[in-house]
Amino acid sequence: MPLLLLRFFQSKQIQSMEISFQIVVVSVLVCCMFCNSVVESNNLNGDYYTNNQEMMGVQPLSKISMHELEIGIHAEASIKATTRLLGLKGESSQWINVEFKHPHPTADDWIAVFSPAIFNASTYVPTMGNPANLSPLLVSSPIKYQFANYSTPDYVDTGYGSLKFRLINQRYDFAFGLFSGGLAKPKLIATSNKISFANPKAPLYPRLALGKSWDEMTVTWTSDYDINEAVPFVQWGLQGEEQVRSPAGTLTFTQTSMCGPPARTVGWREPGFFHTSFLKNLWPNLRYTYKLGHRLMDGTYVWSKNYSFTAQPYPGQNSLQRVIIFGDTGKAERDGSNEYQNYQPGSLNTTDTLIKDLGNYDIVFHIGDMPYANGFLSQWDQFTEMIEPIASAVPYMVASGNHERDWPNSGSFYNRGDSGGECGVPAETMFYVPAENRANYWYSVDYGMFRFCIGDSEHDWREGTEQYKFIEKCFATTDRQKQPWLIFATHRVLGYSSNEWYAQEGSFEEPMGRSSLQKLWQKYRVDIAYYGHVHSYERTCLIYENICMSSETSHFSGLWNGTIHVVVGGGGSHLSSFSSLKTKWSLYQDYDFGFVKMTAFNHTSLLFEYKKSRDGNVYDSFTITREYMDVLACTIGSCAATTLAL
């Protein structure tokens, strides 16, 4: 059996900790094991956190009380994985069967997956003393778990069970542990053999994103090759023609880059390396093929599988252009792991529906709250693997959410612990956005007839701030003749929402949300503003200063006179309730998982569709028909005041 945990009962001589393991990972564990206790320990608004669990969700791994761990290896208990070497044909994921037995089974028994497989905390001496209940100690959290009776209903009667797990290539080997005592009082009963992927360092999970120029695509991927081991690059070219190679830069982050626990303690896991290559001088609308490569120091090559994408249209190009927008997806496991509490039930539906429809859209905007890793770093690998079929084929543009960024005294606008100590570092490193400073996650991109101005609601957006100036410049520099469809998007609702807790605030928005921005939306004639954060769907009328500027609900034509605000945070995380108060500006509400699709047919016609994740069917829609002169014309708040010269 692997040294999954400290096993002092097997040897008089305690083994030394693996040099590769960061001992400091446990140093703060004495003080804090859960995200919830992080919030309390930092004197944050604990009532807000507690009362809004429906909105925020609970990271499943945070439910495991590792500081209560006991060792209870039983000679008659066992756990075994039937497959030991995975990915022999280059697969990055594989299903395996795990069999186990326990002489004293209970309904609270559970199976955990650990990676790396070797854990040994024997040399750890807590800096704050050595409480008895903290020894022995798990070095880090498992990457996922299932309850023993998940697929074996008679486990409690027979003591025998089996589970199917889906493992993905996450750079390290794996081992399973059989626990009793539930998540609150875990006791290790048995450990399994090791399981490994044939090439744990392989280049995996490419993520496309638009670059800073219209003819540039970026490719970011994950591997375990540092630059002193191999040179990363992308081999690419027009489909069927000669391929060229473009070099890639390499980034990573360390444990000390994290701002607090659990990201800096029990949730830490070596993230690997992230490589980004810039594919330039693309011909618009043409199909390109690419594959990821690493040239090892001995001259041999390691390759990914083949991928392809279609280059973006020239800015202002008059052609069919289709955009997907959603937020707050989260990550779910296809084997049911970590989902015992029904966490993020819709994320796979959203992902799978988009995968099935991959040929019918051109670009995706995920506006914040991606995996809800909340400081458990292993979840980022699982998220990038989940979205790979989408992100490897079309640009996957992201925005910063509270569960990526927020942490006390870290520069975020909200002094809360929603990121679990990540303070934006994994998101900023693993996903490229064409921002001037990726620590400030605001940026603009042009896609054909669209101009997208992406805000960062986790940094101050109010008038006079750096972000406010960026937003105004993004709006003001849009050539509406060439790019008639001006879109604003950010994570939190800076516009309008009938969500229950916003109604309780009395604002129907993020406090201070629209007070500064609504005059910019009106002045620069923003067509649609999108938000996540609220886990449901809602659409407003054409609105300015709480007033519907039109009585139309499904077709808008003629003079521009207001912005439509859309909440599309139903990507997969817990659904958010609506207020019982009825607002005149709210045209459509849906307490369900879904996403939005915009289709620009030409410079004058736009189709908006809201689709449910479970079936991909349209449940709300409207059209906009507008000529260039309709955007130029003045309406309330959209033109500067003038005086009559004498």
Side-chain angles (χ1 to χ4, degrees), residues 57 259 273 291 296 333 361 418 422 430 463 513 539 567:
C259 291
F273 300 95
K291 62 179 178 178
L296 305 184
E333 291 289 325
Y361 57 90
D418 298 354
E422 294 179 10
M430 296 175 70
E463 191 166 3
R539 171 171 68 95
V567 175

Side-chain angles (χ1 to χ4, degrees), residues 640-644:
T642 58
T643 58
L644 181 63

Side-chain angles (χ1 to χ4, degrees), residues 206-391:
R207 284 101 56 193
L208 298 174
L210 300 180
K212 291 185 178 180
S213 63
W214 73 267
D215 59 351
E216 180 179 67
M217 187 75 78
T218 71
V219 187
T220 300
W221 72 95
T222 306
S223 85
D224 204 31
Y225 289 114
D226 198 354
I227 55 174
N228 58 5
E229 298 177 273
V231 177
F233 63 93
V234 174
Q235 183 166 295
W236 64 285
L238 285 167
Q239 190 171 35
E241 297 189 12
E242 182 181 357
Q243 306 288 288
V244 298
R245 293 180 179 179
S246 294
T250 298
L251 296 173
T252 190
F253 53 89
T254 64
Q255 191 174 349
T256 56
S257 302
M258 303 293 97
C259 291
R264 198 163 180 162
T265 56
V266 67
W268 170 255
R269 186 178 188 272
E270 293 288 344
F273 300 95
F274 309 106
H275 317 281
T276 299
S277 184
F278 298 84
L279 315 185
K280 301 183 179 183
N281 300 317
L282 301 178
W283 290 73
N285 313 305
L286 295 186
R287 193 75 176 166
Y288 286 83
T289 58
Y290 72 99
K291 62 179 178 178
L292 319 172
H294 289 265
R295 185 182 187 276
L296 305 184
M297 294 308 167
D298 64 3
T300 60
Y301 289 85
V302 176
W303 297 100
S304 73
K305 63 182 182 180
N306 294 312
Y307 300 93
S308 65
F309 67 86
T310 299
Q312 54 267 40
Y314 186 84
Q317 178 183 300
N318 191 16
S319 62
L320 184 69
Q321 295 155 19
R322 303 154 300 179
V323 182
I324 299 292
I325 301 181
F326 58 88
D328 306 79
T329 301
K331 173 212 67 78
E333 291 289 325
R334 296 187 184 277
D335 58 19
S337 297
N338 300 7
E339 305 308 315
Y340 198 73
Q341 300 297 325
N342 202 31
Y343 185 67
Q344 297 157 356
S347 56
L348 287 179
N349 281 346
T350 299
T351 303
D352 290 345
T353 297
L354 290 175
I355 291 172
K356 292 176 184 177
D357 200 38
L358 194 55
N360 294 313
Y361 57 90
D362 308 300
I363 186 172
V364 167
F365 286 85
H366 187 153
I367 52 175
D369 283 6
M370 290 179 272
Y372 289 81
N374 293 9
F376 292 89
L377 276 298
S378 64
Q379 309 298 283
W380 280 97
D381 283 316
Q382 294 162 17
F383 176 74
T384 54
E385 191 272 341
M386 182 182 79
I387 66 169
E388 184 210 35
I390 304 168

Side-chain angles (χ1 to χ4, degrees), residues 306-536:
N306 294 312
Y307 300 93
S308 65
F309 67 86
T310 299
Q312 54 267 40
Y314 186 84
Q317 178 183 300
N318 191 16
S319 62
L320 184 69
Q321 295 155 19
R322 303 154 300 179
V323 182
I324 299 292
I325 301 181
F326 58 88
D328 306 79
T329 301
K331 173 212 67 78
E333 291 289 325
R334 296 187 184 277
D335 58 19
S337 297
N338 300 7
E339 305 308 315
Y340 198 73
Q341 300 297 325
N342 202 31
Y343 185 67
Q344 297 157 356
S347 56
L348 287 179
N349 281 346
T350 299
T351 303
D352 290 345
T353 297
L354 290 175
I355 291 172
K356 292 176 184 177
D357 200 38
L358 194 55
N360 294 313
Y361 57 90
D362 308 300
I363 186 172
V364 167
F365 286 85
H366 187 153
I367 52 175
D369 283 6
M370 290 179 272
Y372 289 81
N374 293 9
F376 292 89
L377 276 298
S378 64
Q379 309 298 283
W380 280 97
D381 283 316
Q382 294 162 17
F383 176 74
T384 54
E385 191 272 341
M386 182 182 79
I387 66 169
E388 184 210 35
I390 304 168
S392 64
V394 300
Y396 197 93
M397 311 304 297
V398 301
S400 180
N402 54 304
H403 285 277
E404 278 81 54
R405 183 61 184 84
D406 291 1
W407 190 256
N409 304 313
S410 69
S412 56
F413 187 64
Y414 297 88
N415 202 36
R416 295 176 181 141
D418 298 354
S419 76
E422 294 179 10
C423 55
V425 174
E428 294 161 12
T429 310
M430 296 175 70
F431 285 85
Y432 177 84
V433 295
E436 292 301 318
N437 179 354
R438 283 161 69 181
N440 297 329
Y441 233 59
W442 55 75
Y443 62 94
S444 66
V445 290
D446 296 331
Y447 192 89
M449 295 176 286
F450 288 96
R451 161 65 64 88
F452 294 94
C453 301
I454 309 300
D456 181 352
S457 63
E458 310 317 300
H459 286 88
D460 198 347
W461 61 83
R462 294 172 297 177
E463 191 166 3
T465 63
E466 182 183 358
Q467 180 169 193
Y468 182 90
K469 294 174 183 177
F470 157 78
I471 293 171
E472 181 163 24
K473 182 179 179 181
C474 185
F475 293 162
T477 55
T478 306
D479 183 343
R480 298 302 289 272
Q481 182 189 17
K482 296 179 177 63
Q483 293 172 299
W485 311 116
L486 179 54
I487 308 299
F488 175 72
T490 193
H491 178 63
R492 292 178 184 261
V493 182
L494 305 186
Y496 296 83
S497 169
S498 300
N499 176 257
E500 186 174 22
W501 76 82
Y502 280 149
Q504 291 173 1
E505 293 268 357
S507 59
F508 292 100
E509 57 158 334
E510 197 70 34
M512 302 178 288
R514 60 179 177 263
S515 56
S516 296
L517 295 178
Q518 58 187 346
K519 58 185 177 184
L520 295 184
W521 297 326
Q522 195 74 2
K523 178 179 179 180
Y524 296 105
R525 304 162 176 85
V526 173
D527 290 295
I528 308 175
Y530 289 98
Y531 316 99
H533 199 56
V534 173
H535 304 160
S536 54

Side-chain angles (χ1 to χ4, degrees), residues 579-634:
S579 169
S580 59
L581 298 172
K582 301 303 178 184
T583 53
K584 291 183 178 180
W585 42 259
S586 183
L587 297 185
Y588 192 99
Q589 299 176 359
D590 189 34
Y591 182 80
D592 204 349
F593 303 108
F595 55 91
V596 159
K597 180 179 181 180
M598 289 189 299
T599 302
F601 297 100
N602 48 47
H603 286 77
T604 60
S605 300
L606 180 74
L607 170 65
F608 171 103
E609 298 170 299
Y610 163 65
K611 299 186 175 187
K612 288 184 186 283
S613 298
R614 64 170 177 254
D615 56 19
N617 292 333
V618 177
Y619 287 81
D620 182 35
S621 66
F622 64 82
T623 57
I624 300 176
T625 302
R626 185 178 296 130
E627 300 291 341
Y628 179 46
M629 62 177 292
D630 296 324
V631 181
L632 294 178
C634 292

